[in-house]
Amino acid sequence: MKQLKTRTEQILATMPILAWVAFAAYVIETGAVLYSYTISFVDPEAAKDVYRGLNLYRLSKINFWYYTQAISLIAGLAVSKAVVAWLVIRALTKFRLENPFTMDMVVRLEKISYAAFGTWVLAMVSNGHLAWMMKETGELQGNWISGEFIFIIALVYVMSQIFRRGVEIQTEHELTV
Amino acid sequence: MPITVNLDVMMAKRKMSLSELSEKVDLTLANLSILKTGKAKAIRFSTLEAICRVLECQPGDLLEYDDGNKK
């Protein structure tokens, strides 16, 4: 039992670090994409490597408006993922294993599920837009979130509702004399 | 909640303070206060039994049902 508790504590201690890494990665991605886009106004060659080898040079040459749309969606998705990571960090740092069922944690979990759902919607819009743009230009490569991501979001939401019930049970227990 | 706890009434009848009752029924002052102020969500039979024994009363003397439709 003690070993199990220790392992859980270790996981809980490690998770905020991972969430911070993810948050930093998404912030860097957003910054890099927007930086490349800004530079591409002056030097169109910057569109050849927007972020980690993403080449949108030909797209920018075909239609700069399409290029702007693609950049907006990539940056928007990165910001959205960063927001989710930030909410996860906040929830994990506030989480206390000794007293996990608090209304504060319920609200945080609900916020995470809503933000993740927003990210999923944005990813689906991006996927649709990507497909349309590929048809229009025969150009563009993408690495977007898959639709199955929605199941994880649903799971987080269900967890938040379980926590809500947990808070109710705990309150009832505390008010039993 | 339509259940009213008349603990304060019974305590006044028996001229017993909350701290004295707390000692006699072996309940914390905080818990007795929750019960007295009507914030309690539930009451254990063991608690009810102890209070009835100390205050020499029936559970019906402590608890009252009022649905708010009384004329």
Side-chain angles (χ1 to χ4, degrees), chain A residues 171-177, chain B residues 31 39-42 44 47:
Chain A
T171 311
E172 213 165 279
H173 176 72
E174 281 168 0
L175 291 176
T176 297
V177 292
Chain B
N31 272 345
K39 287 179 189 161
K41 291 256 183 191
R44 291 188 189 91
T47 308

Side-chain angles (χ1 to χ4, degrees), chain A residues 42-61:
Chain A
V42 187
D43 177 18
E45 294 280 314
K48 278 185 177 170
D49 188 4
V50 174
Y51 178 69
R52 294 178 69 188
L54 179 65
N55 189 347
L56 298 178
Y57 181 71
R58 279 188 60 196
L59 183 73
S60 72
K61 285 290 152 198

